[in-house]
Amino acid sequence: MPQEYDLFISYAHKDDYGNPGDDVSRILAIKAAIEREYYEMTGQEVRIFLDQTGILTGSQWRESLLTGLKSSKMMLAVLSENYFASTYCKREWEHYIDTELDMALPGEGITPIYVLPFIEFDNDTIDVRLKRWVRDLKRRQIDVDWQKWWPEGQAALERDDVKKRLRDLTSNVNHRLSLYEARNTSPTNQMPQLTRHFKGRRKELHELRQSLVKGQIGAIAAVNGIAGIGKTELALAYAWGYGGHYPGGRFYLNMPGKFDNASQALEKLQQQFVDIAAWKGIELNDAERQQPSVAFAKVCRAFTLHPDEPAMFIVDNIDDAVLLQPDILQQGLPRGAHIDILLTTRCAKLQQDRLDWVSVDALETEDGVDLLDSYAPIPEVPQDAEWKAAYRIVERLGGHALALNIVGVYLRWKEDSYVRFEQYLIAEGIELVSQIGTELQAGNVGIGSEYQEKVLAQLLEPTLQHWRETEPAAFRALQYAALCPPDLVPLPWLTELLIEEQLEWGRDQRGGTMAIQAVNLLVASRMLAPVRKQQAGLTAETIDDSNLARMHRVYQDILLKELTEATWQELQNRLNQLVDRRAEWLREHWGGSEFAWEIWPLRELAFSRFDERDYRTVILLDHIANILQHVGQLADCKRICIQNNEILQALGNVSPENADYRRDLSVSYERLGDLFRSLGEGGQARDYYQNALEI
């Protein structure tokens, strides 16, 4: 059986001996000091993995260090310029962040000490390929004082201030190791196992933790998001990763389906708590079992009478919003400052004081690629075509967790390449993922017991059916959103389109209000997820991101495929008219940053219209090019102007007698000349001016 370690020290070997002729290892000195402090503090030995050989090849690294990494509960990262230049230090970090959750230390398993200054790290100008690594370490508590002591080597360890730092570091190690042991002894029921393919979600895990430690009487956090996005996995990851904080137990309750009334919902919820009595060591007699409310009260008392034993409950798969009502939560859940409740639901966010909402949206691209790689390892460079294809697959599927799990299992099963799969996906669209799910079922190839529905369309269609039947205005807004750029859906445009269309629900004076409510409902349910980060490049101005949302590509594909040709044409025409108006208005009234957000969807829609060879497209592209030039987006402006020139040439060739086309083509060449001259490309500018003069 491989040896287990408590602490793994990750460092660059070049930093170990700071001065020529040094014969004392700084890393060995720190290791010995930690071992000594830990024994004095706890009376126990601390097992530290430290490599001193200097690994030269990938195979040696895997054989020698990977075993130590996987069995170590914590990592001490010794930061420096050499550290961030080391491929092996980066690999150690990549492997350990997957281990943090297993060790019950999400976001807390790495302790960085900063020993030698690195300017690019300090001022955030480090290589883009290292951004994720740097970002992760910077959000941890980095001890920078080691830069003062590191040049002194072993002698610094005798200083009082350094000894105090070592005691703090050792105390931190001891505390975090105790969380690992506490998690392993925390009672639990038949909670589903956390898949080993869980990736990312560090921000959401942190949000959940913050929501549940506010000191409320019975903290309740509700996790919501669309079907298959990873709500249950996030809840299980929290219960696993933070299990050390719940010595009173962690328990899983499943509450899918609809209820006839509130009483039925309450009875089902209370019965779920009664069913965990045996797992908590609570004995119920026959009389108590025949009276669910009595049995429920007894179970609640068993938890509330022990405030020194915090406990948590996951109530998973809530489909009926009645379970989220305050009176149901009040009567159907144990109460106490030491009891945390975590709900997962597809329901829209409710405005209630007692619920803290944490939304689950798409996986970040890097995490999605890690998820695929965990199923079907991606060959390392120089075969970077596979990596690039994997990134594009993740983006094409909108970071949808279930879709990526299906793809990963398929690639592992078929031993197919990412490049070939991307070609399949381009050709067949999201339907391919559903077909694969069916094929996996037929071949009895599972993607883990944690997923009961393996066919993507089967999972997502009930949600769309709900919107069709119960919220027709919101469903129409979804159809309009499917025609917009998926990562830049303009929410005010959806509202305006709904009002203009004058559907049955909007023919009275409240039409505007009802349209706004329909769009807000889509945001609250995460069918449209607000854009979180600002788009770069708007000089000193900022973007009002609250006007933009992201639509998951899986839903976009499904919605577009089900549109009839007539409906698609009708909706597309309405959207095109609105886009034309907004582009013209923005060009004429530019100057207010409150409208800056509209640039980005207009730009993306302009790119999507390049194949439309009509005069209306010429006018639209001209408006958008002017706006982009105004805000300094010259590369995009150049791309649009060149395309517009090509469209005008094509129109002129078809109708050579049309004087307007000839005039506009001449103006287009002249504008390109001005643009290229401003970019310092005088030769090309001169050619464009000559073309304009000839016309």
Side-chain angles (χ1 to χ4, degrees), residues 408-682:
V409 172
Y410 176 83
L411 290 173
R412 180 180 63 189
W413 181 35
K414 295 293 188 180
E415 298 183 354
D416 207 345
S417 79
Y418 286 89
V419 171
R420 280 194 298 272
F421 185 85
E422 183 192 12
Q423 294 169 354
Y424 306 152
L425 191 59
I426 291 172
E428 300 185 40
I430 197 64
E431 288 182 354
L432 174 65
V433 182
S434 292
Q435 294 166 10
I436 288 172
T438 304
E439 188 175 351
L440 293 174
Q441 285 182 319
N444 197 27
V445 179
I447 59 175
S449 59
E450 66 275 10
Y451 295 109
Q452 297 178 359
E453 298 175 87
K454 300 179 177 66
V455 181
L456 196 61
Q458 291 176 359
L459 182 68
L460 303 182
E461 177 54 32
T463 300
L464 292 178
Q465 188 63 24
H466 162 78
W467 292 103
R468 285 190 203 97
E469 295 176 352
T470 63
E471 300 289 347
F475 185 71
R476 178 64 98 198
L478 275 179
Q479 291 178 313
Y480 279 122
L483 298 171
C484 296
D487 293 326
L488 294 166
V489 177
L491 299 178
W493 292 9
L494 301 184
T495 303
E496 186 170 343
L497 287 165
L498 289 179
I499 295 172
E500 286 180 357
E501 190 168 341
Q502 292 293 293
L503 294 174
E504 190 68 36
W505 49 266
R507 285 182 178 154
D508 59 24
Q509 60 183 356
R510 297 185 300 145
T513 301
M514 296 178 74
I516 292 172
Q517 289 174 346
V519 174
N520 287 344
L521 185 59
L522 292 174
V523 174
S525 63
R526 312 309 285 184
M527 293 297 291
L528 297 176
V531 174
R532 290 178 177 172
K533 58 185 179 182
Q534 293 182 352
Q535 303 292 324
L538 247 190
T539 59
E541 295 171 312
T542 59
I543 297 174
D544 183 0
D545 288 336
S546 65
N547 290 307
L548 297 172
R550 178 179 183 181
M551 183 179 200
H552 292 281
R553 284 172 170 81
V554 288
Y555 276 125
Q556 184 185 45
D557 273 13
I558 292 171
L559 286 162
L560 289 176
K561 286 182 182 299
E562 71 178 18
L563 285 175
T564 65
E565 178 65 27
T567 303
W568 178 86
Q569 193 65 56
E570 176 191 351
L571 299 184
Q572 189 66 64
N573 286 341
R574 289 181 183 277
L575 177 62
N576 287 345
Q577 291 169 11
L578 175 62
V579 168
D580 292 345
R581 291 199 306 271
R582 294 311 304 159
E584 182 178 7
W585 190 94
L586 205 61
R587 177 178 181 174
E588 293 177 356
H589 298 83
W590 182 254
S593 61
E594 67 270 24
F595 302 109
W597 61 271
E598 288 189 273
I599 291 176
W600 310 109
L602 285 172
R603 181 190 64 174
E604 293 303 308
L605 286 167
F607 294 157
S608 70
R609 299 269 285 269
F610 277 2
D611 292 334
E612 299 178 20
R613 305 281 167 146
D614 55 35
Y615 197 68
R616 178 178 180 174
T617 299
V618 169
I619 296 173
L620 173 65
L621 295 183
D622 185 59
H623 288 330
I624 296 174
N626 268 281
I627 297 168
L628 291 172
Q629 187 169 12
H630 178 83
V631 297
Q633 298 294 302
L634 298 185
D636 288 336
C637 177
K638 173 180 171 182
R639 179 182 172 189
I640 291 174
C641 286
I642 290 174
Q643 186 63 30
N644 220 10
N645 183 267
E646 292 178 2
I647 296 173
L648 282 166
Q649 289 183 54
L651 290 173
N653 291 336
V654 173
S655 304
E657 74 288 350
N658 191 313
D660 289 338
Y661 289 168
R662 302 287 293 171
R663 180 201 65 218
D664 290 342
L665 182 59
S666 174
V667 172
S668 172
Y669 276 126
E670 187 172 349
R671 180 172 183 177
L672 280 169
D674 292 342
L675 183 60
F676 274 76
R677 185 180 63 178
S678 68
L679 293 171
E681 301 178 42

Side-chain angles (χ1 to χ4, degrees), residues 248 253 266 269-277 280 282-284 292-307 309 311 313 328-339 341 354:
L253 318 174
L266 177 60
L269 181 58
Q270 289 182 341
Q271 184 60 50
Q272 288 274 307
F273 279 94
V274 172
D275 290 342
I276 68 172
K280 182 65 175 175
I282 304 168
E283 294 185 3
L284 297 174
S293 60
V294 174
F296 172 71
K298 185 172 182 178
V299 171
C300 288
R301 281 196 302 274
F303 284 98
T304 56
L305 289 176
H306 298 282
E309 296 182 2
F313 300 90
I328 300 295
L329 297 177
Q330 175 79 14
Q331 300 174 57
L333 300 174
R335 302 188 66 195
H338 62 294
I339 295 176
I341 309 289
R354 198 172 180 212

Side-chain angles (χ1 to χ4, degrees), residues 235-305:
L236 295 176
Y238 178 87
W240 185 250
Y242 289 97
H245 297 276
Y246 298 104
R250 297 158 292 140
F251 302 94
Y252 176 85
L253 318 174
N254 198 17
M255 290 291 296
K258 298 288 185 177
F259 301 97
D260 295 335
N261 50 56
S263 297
Q264 185 188 53
L266 177 60
E267 183 178 342
K268 175 69 180 298
L269 181 58
Q270 289 182 341
Q271 184 60 50
Q272 288 274 307
F273 279 94
V274 172
D275 290 342
I276 68 172
W279 298 97
K280 182 65 175 175
I282 304 168
E283 294 185 3
L284 297 174
N285 58 41
D286 291 341
E288 289 169 334
R289 289 187 179 279
Q290 291 173 6
Q291 301 179 70
S293 60
V294 174
F296 172 71
K298 185 172 182 178
V299 171
C300 288
R301 281 196 302 274
F303 284 98
T304 56
L305 289 176

Side-chain angles (χ1 to χ4, degrees), residues 143 145-146 148-149 152 155-168:
D143 192 343
D145 282 350
W146 285 89
K148 298 183 296 186
W149 309 319
E152 299 178 33
L157 299 178
E158 301 304 318
R159 293 172 44 168
D160 289 340
D161 52 350
V162 181
K163 286 182 178 180
K164 182 181 183 305
R165 272 293 198 279
L166 276 170
R167 280 193 297 272
D168 292 342

